[in-house]
Amino acid sequence: METVVIVIHLMVVLALVLVVLLQRSEGGALGIGGGGGGGGGLMSSRGTANILTRATAVLAVAFFATSLALSLIAQNEDSPASILDAVPATTDGAPATGDGAPAGGSGGILDSLRQQSEPSGPQVPAAQ
């Protein structure tokens, strides 16, 4: 579902950029511009400007809708819990107390990390 919304979102973004670049600016830099003929026909400069303005508005609404949909999808997905939020249990299976220290002595996250970082086995003295 998320992939489909992302693909739609990217297509809307590309179309929105294209439509904005096609619009006639004050200087007429990248605009379609053509000075074609008389009245208010569909492909006159005025009719083209109306179509591009409406297309920009529709694509902007679609952009905001897909952005909101993606943020709602991301919010509702299960995110991994932090290991610091978990209550560590002691080695005898007793639950830890509320202050972060186990009920039966040491055995918290920091203690287990210290035990892992301490070298085991015989120690060789440093050369002097």
Side-chain angles (χ1 to χ4, degrees):
M1 177 71 180
E2 183 180 7
T3 306
V4 173
V5 177
I6 288 174
V7 169
I8 292 171
H9 185 72
L10 290 176
M11 289 171 31
V12 167
V13 167
L14 290 175
L16 186 61
V17 168
L18 182 73
V19 168
V20 168
L21 288 177
L22 286 177
Q23 289 183 9
R24 185 174 182 150
S25 65
E26 290 288 324
L30 290 177
I32 293 176
L42 179 64
M43 291 312 286
S44 68
S45 62
R46 183 177 248 173
T48 303
N50 286 340
I51 290 173
L52 290 176
T53 302
R54 289 183 184 175
T56 302
V58 168
L59 288 170
V61 168
F63 174 79
F64 282 111
T66 56
S67 296
L68 288 173
L70 284 172
S71 61
L72 290 175
I73 290 171
Q75 182 182 13
N76 290 334
E77 285 188 4
D78 293 330
S79 60
S82 173
I83 62 167
L84 297 177
D85 293 338
V87 179
T90 60
T91 55
D92 60 354
T97 60
D99 61 354
S106 68
I109 293 173
L110 292 177
D111 292 329
S112 65
L113 290 175
R114 281 190 199 111
Q115 290 173 356
Q116 291 176 359
S117 65
E118 291 176 0
S120 59
Q123 300 296 315
V124 177
Q128 296 190 17

